[in-house]
Amino acid sequence: MPAKAIRVHDFGGPEVLRWEEVEVPDPGPGELLVRHTAIGLNFIEVYQRAGLYSNPLPFVPGNEAAGRVEAVGPGVREFQVGDRVAYGTAPVGSYAEVRVVPADRVVKLPRDVGEKVAAAVMLKGMTAEYLLRRTFPVRPGQTILFHAAAGGVGLLAIQWAKALGATVVGTVSTDQKAALARKLGCDHVVVTSREDFVDRVREVTGGRGVPVVYDSVGKDTFAKSLQCLAPRGMLVLFGQSSGPVPPVDPAVLQKGSTYLTRPSLFAYNSRREDLLESAAALFEQIESGHVTVDVQHSYPLERAADAHRALEGRKITGSCLLLP
Ligand SMILES: NC(=O)c1ccc[n+]([C@@H]2O[C@H](COP(=O)([O-])OP(=O)(O)OC[C@H]3O[C@@H](n4cnc5c(N)ncnc54)[C@H](OP(=O)(O)O)[C@@H]3O)[C@@H](O)[C@H]2O)c1
C-alpha cells in the first residue's frame, strides 16, 4: 500500500527529513498495520537524524505514536482491527501515516486515554516511569534534581516525582519555562542562564546534596551534576541534549562513593511484561490526574523538519505532536 512518510537518506540537519511516498507492506506474522492519529516528537529522533544513533539509510525515523489497528498479521491474538493502540519502544518508523509494527511492542489504550495524549506520553512517560521507579526508586521526603524540567520527559517526570512525595529541584533555561515547571509542581526552579544549579542544590539541601540527579542534558551539565550528589548518590545520565559526555575517569566517583548509570527505556522495557507494567503505571498516573498532559505544540507531519528546529532550538515545552 502506498503512504506518505518522512524519510532520511543522509544523516544531517533538519533539512534531511524528506516527505515522500513509501510502500507499506502487509503485516507479517506477529505484526500489526497501524494507521497513526498522532506521532510524538522526541529528542532521540534528533540523534537518529544526525546519525549519532545510527540506522541503515534510508529510514523512516520516529519511535512514538498512537492510532488504530488497520490489519492484523498471522498469529496475532491480542489485537483486532479497530483497536486503539500506542507504542513508544518500537523499532524506528513512526514518522509515517501508516506503518507495520511488531505487535509485542504495542499496547491497547484504556477508554479514558485519548490517542493524542497517548502519542504525547508513551515514550516520554514510560521514561519517567522507569527512571523514578526502577533506576533510582524515589521515596517520599527525598529531594531530587531533574534537568530540563520543562521538556517533554521533564514535565511528566516532575509531576510523577511529586506524586511519589519528593521535593523537586528542576533546571530550565528561561523564565517562561520556569513558570510552567512551577505550575506543575516543581518546588525549586533554577533558571540556568542566570543561576548556578550546584549552589541552589546546596542551599536547598543544607549543603548535603541530593541522592539522585536525572541528567539528560549531558555535556554541559555532567560535571556539575556530580557535584550535586550526596554521599553514595546516583547520577542517572539518560540523554545528551547538549552533546555527548566525553569519556570519564571512574575516579570522579570516588570522593562521595557515588554511582553513575546510563540507562535506556528500550532496555528497561525490552520484555513484554515490563512494557505492559510500565504502560499501565503511566496510564494510572494520567487517569488519576497525578500527571496531566497539556500538549502545547503540534506540527503537520510533513513539517517534521520545523518541529526538529524548534526542539533543538529549545523552543518546545512539554510534549509536541506531529499530525499526519
Ligand atoms: N535514556 C532514555 O531512556 C531516554 C528516553 C527518553 C528521552 N531521553 C532523553 O531525555 C532528554 C529529553 O528528551 P525530550 O524528548 O523530552 O526533549 P526535551 O526535554 O523536550 O528537549 C530537550 C531540552 O534539553 C534542554 N537543553 C539543554 N541544553 C540544550 C542544548 N544545548 N540543546 C538543546 N536542548 C538543550 C532544553 O531545555 P532548557 O532550554 O530548559 O534547558 C531542551 O528543551 C533527551 O536528551 C532524550 O534523549 C532518554
Side-chain angles (χ1 to χ4, degrees):
M1 170 207 301
K4 286 290 195 107
I6 293 285
R7 211 145 50 145
V8 173
H9 291 265
D10 297 296
F11 299 121
E15 69 284 353
V16 302
L17 298 168
R18 279 161 45 178
W19 182 236
E20 294 183 343
E21 191 163 294
V22 294
E23 189 56 30
V24 181
D26 291 335
E31 292 180 335
L32 301 173
L33 184 73
V34 176
R35 182 162 294 275
H36 293 148
T37 312
I39 297 147
L41 176 74
N42 291 280
F43 216 92
I44 190 176
E45 290 130 26
V46 172
Y47 313 144
Q48 289 165 357
R49 189 205 73 213
L52 180 65
Y53 293 178
S54 195
N55 286 284
L57 296 166
F59 69 98
V60 176
N63 302 271
E64 178 180 51
R68 299 209 177 218
V69 174
E70 201 161 279
V72 175
V76 175
R77 295 193 212 310
E78 215 182 313
F79 298 93
Q80 291 179 342
V81 171
D83 282 347
R84 295 180 331 112
V85 296
Y87 60 85
T89 56
V92 289
S94 67
Y95 284 19
E97 292 173 327
V98 57
R99 75 170 292 195
V100 167
V101 64
D104 67 358
R105 298 286 83 205
V106 172
V107 300
K108 281 189 201 169
L109 295 183
R111 207 190 44 206
D112 295 339
V113 176
E115 286 157 49
K116 287 189 177 165
V117 166
V121 299
M122 285 307 288
L123 193 158
K124 294 173 266 289
M126 291 195 298
T127 299
E129 184 282 319
Y130 88 81
L131 292 173
L132 299 170
R133 298 193 339 149
R134 291 187 274 160
T135 306
F136 181 95
V138 172
R139 294 193 306 274
Q142 287 180 320
T143 300
I144 70 168
L145 172 60
F146 209 105
H147 286 300
V153 176
L155 279 188
L156 299 171
I158 60 176
Q159 296 180 78
W160 201 322
K162 289 306 297 172
L164 291 169
T167 297
V168 182
V169 184
T171 65
V172 297
S173 63
T174 66
D175 287 314
Q176 184 226 349
K177 289 184 178 186
L180 186 58
R182 245 180 241 116
K183 189 173 138 203
L184 291 179
C186 193
D187 301 278
H188 306 276
V189 187
V190 183
V191 181
T192 49
S193 49
R194 59 163 181 266
E195 196 185 347
D196 186 310
F197 63 82
V198 182
D199 290 346
R200 179 72 86 88
V201 164
R202 290 212 179 109
E203 182 194 312
V204 167
T205 60
R208 183 173 167 77
V210 287
V212 64
V213 177
Y214 295 102
D215 187 342
S216 65
V217 174
K219 183 166 71 69
D220 289 354
T221 45
F222 181 82
K224 285 190 162 192
S225 290
L226 276 176
Q227 293 175 34
C228 293
L229 289 175
R232 297 175 59 195
M234 184 185 288
L235 174 51
V236 181
L237 177 70
F238 70 101
Q240 58 248 321
S241 305
S242 67
V245 176
V248 284
D249 180 350
V252 299
L253 305 175
Q254 188 177 351
K255 188 163 161 240
S257 295
T258 48
Y259 298 82
L260 169 64
T261 183
R262 180 38 177 108
S264 153
L265 171 66
F266 295 83
Y268 270 80
N269 280 3
S270 63
R271 297 185 313 169
R272 176 118 184 109
E273 57 265 43
D274 293 327
L275 167 62
L276 290 177
E277 212 174 297
S278 185
L282 171 62
F283 294 146
E284 193 186 304
Q285 289 297 313
I286 292 171
E287 287 173 315
S288 67
H290 287 135
V291 171
T292 57
V293 188
D294 179 16
V295 180
Q296 305 245 352
H297 311 263
S298 66
Y299 292 79
L301 175 57
E302 63 183 285
R303 284 184 47 216
D306 290 337
H308 275 225
R309 285 185 192 100
L311 186 61
E312 285 178 276
R314 304 164 81 159
K315 302 277 191 291
I316 301 280
T317 50
S319 298
C320 174
L321 293 179
L322 302 174
L323 300 173

